[in-house]
Amino acid sequence: MPVDPLRSPAGERLDPLWVSLRVLLAGLIAAHGWARALAGGVAPFGSFLEAQGLPAGAWLAMGITGLEIIGPVSLLIGRAVAPLCALYSLIYMAGIVLVHAPAGWFVVGLGRNGSEYSVLLIACLLMVGWRHHRPWRGD
């Protein structure tokens, strides 16, 4: 069966706005992973994770970065959307706990490196994941 990124798992045609949001999220997530990989940030990320008490921080950092580089391809074509969105949400929730919440709410302006952007990403990921897991019948 050919891949149709404009159809839900139940086979119904998705609204172009949902597809656009899914594509935007794929781009943002890929940019996050590629930026870390290309800037040499994987090893420092692993060291940070280990300093936070997480085991195998280097492996965890490589796994997260790899997932952020490879997973967006699945989002683009509409495959494994719900599980990927759930996994990315968990990763970014951990980021809030470990990094962003201690810095406050705002990313810029009244603060720096806060939680607001991550909260927005998580909300969008959960909505897109839910849309792909259980097609909304009230459209």
Side-chain angles (χ1 to χ4, degrees), residues 11-122:
E12 69 181 357
R13 186 157 177 78
L14 291 172
D15 183 310
L17 294 175
W18 282 109
V19 175
S20 297
L21 181 57
R22 188 183 76 219
V23 169
L24 175 64
L25 287 168
L28 292 171
I29 292 166
H32 202 238
W34 278 109
R36 184 183 307 114
L38 295 175
V42 179
F45 181 35
S47 297
F48 169 78
L49 293 174
E50 287 178 3
Q52 302 306 305
L54 295 169
W59 288 102
L60 194 54
M62 284 189 282
I64 290 169
T65 302
L67 185 64
E68 288 177 330
I69 290 171
I70 296 167
V73 175
S74 286
L75 292 180
L76 285 173
I77 64 171
R79 294 290 188 209
V81 173
L84 277 171
C85 286
L87 189 53
Y88 288 132
S89 294
L90 290 172
I91 290 168
Y92 300 141
M93 283 179 205
I96 288 173
V97 170
L98 295 174
V99 176
H100 302 295
W105 176 252
F106 296 103
V107 174
V108 296
L110 298 177
R112 183 169 176 343
N113 205 25
S115 300
E116 67 179 334
Y117 176 69
S118 295
V119 169
L120 178 61
L121 274 179
I122 292 166

